[in-house]
Amino acid sequence: MTKSDLHSNHCPTQSDHLCMPEEARKRARHRLSIARGHLESIVKMLDAEDVYCVDVLRQIRAVQGALSGASDVVLRGHLEAHVATAAERGDTVEMVDELMEALRYR
């Protein structure tokens, strides 16, 4: 990996800031759009007096699955683009600490 490759993950507007890879952003956005659609359908379902509890639970689970998928996409992008290259940048300790903090809420 060349020095220019290491800087390719930096944000164009903030040279000292790492950016999410474009492909991960696109995939996460897609999964979150799916989650939003499921969530909107749950809200509409709850407007109906005859809504069945198990149907609502299924839709909630679908939202949770879509959110989990989005989280996985973001995590993989971070691991591939930033954690795997931390030693070359010299910020391994910071990357590990940051990732451990982020995974605390997973």
Side-chain angles (χ1 to χ4, degrees), residues 32-46:
L32 291 172
S33 293
I34 291 169
R36 179 175 41 207
H38 285 300
L39 190 56
E40 288 171 357
S41 73
I42 295 168
V43 172
K44 287 178 185 175
M45 289 172 74
L46 294 173

Side-chain angles (χ1 to χ4, degrees), residues 64-80:
Q64 291 170 329
L67 291 174
S68 178
S71 178
D72 291 348
V73 166
V74 173
L75 177 59
R76 177 174 287 280
H78 184 68
L79 291 171
E80 290 174 348

Side-chain angles (χ1 to χ4, degrees), residues 14-26:
Q14 298 175 343
S15 63
D16 64 335
H17 182 76
L18 297 173
C19 287
M20 182 184 288
E22 182 177 354
E23 185 60 28
R25 281 196 335 261
K26 287 179 183 178

